[in-house]
């Protein structure tokens, strides 16, 4: 997650917080970043017979995903709490409802 977080941080201001770019464009960039992360994870565990995620790891990955979605949509965690917006509604507004556990 650290490498993906670093890559997301580098793209935060020029892409994800740019108001001139559409949400669809930001979604495509985020999906490619997420796909790159998954491929790099598989390279590290190549040769292992099984690789299962435990509940804390799944929660950590999902919280990272939710933080990225909030950043892209320009919403803070406080705003989400104050306006009582569920994570599911936020993800559907972004167009990516899937989570790690799906």
């Amino acid at each position: 997650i650290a490498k993906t977080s670093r890559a997301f941080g580098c793209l935060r201001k020029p892409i994800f917080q740019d108001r001139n770019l559409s949400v669809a464009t930001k979604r495509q960039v985020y999906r490619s970043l997420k796909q790159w992360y998954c491929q790099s994870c598989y390279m590290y565990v190549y040769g292992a017979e099984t690789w299962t995620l435990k509940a804390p790891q799944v929660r950590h990955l999902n919280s990272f995903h939710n933080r990225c979605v909030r950043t892209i949509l320009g919403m803070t965690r406080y705003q989400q709490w104050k306006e009582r917006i569920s994570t599911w509604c936020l993800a559907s507004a972004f167009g990516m409802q899937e989570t790690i556990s799906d």
Side-chain angles (χ1 to χ4, degrees):
I1 292 179
K3 287 184 179 182
T4 308
S5 180
R6 198 172 313 126
F8 185 85
C10 290
L11 297 175
R12 178 174 289 182
K13 287 200 184 226
I15 293 177
F16 296 125
Q17 291 181 338
D18 187 1
R19 295 180 189 264
N20 297 325
L21 292 176
S22 68
V23 174
T25 303
K26 294 175 186 181
R27 182 176 47 242
Q28 290 292 71
V29 172
Y30 179 70
R31 278 191 178 159
S32 65
L33 185 66
K34 190 174 166 185
Q35 183 178 15
W36 169 80
Y37 170 72
C38 289
Q39 288 174 353
S40 65
C41 282
Y42 293 135
M43 285 189 333
Y44 289 122
V45 296
Y46 182 75
E49 297 208 9
T50 60
W51 185 53
T52 58
L53 289 174
K54 302 207 183 316
Q57 295 166 327
V58 171
R59 279 195 309 270
H60 192 68
L61 289 170
N62 281 333
S63 67
F64 174 73
H65 171 71
N66 293 334
R67 187 171 50 242
C68 291
V69 169
R70 275 195 309 270
T71 300
I72 291 169
L73 294 177
M75 180 169 285
T76 64
R77 194 168 171 200
Y78 176 73
Q79 287 173 322
Q80 184 182 6
W81 171 79
K82 186 177 177 184
E83 297 174 18
R84 300 185 191 277
I85 300 172
S86 69
T87 303
W88 177 257
C89 290
L90 206 61
S92 65
F94 183 57
M96 288 181 69
Q97 291 86 0
E98 69 267 4
T99 59
I100 301 301
S101 60
D102 288 347

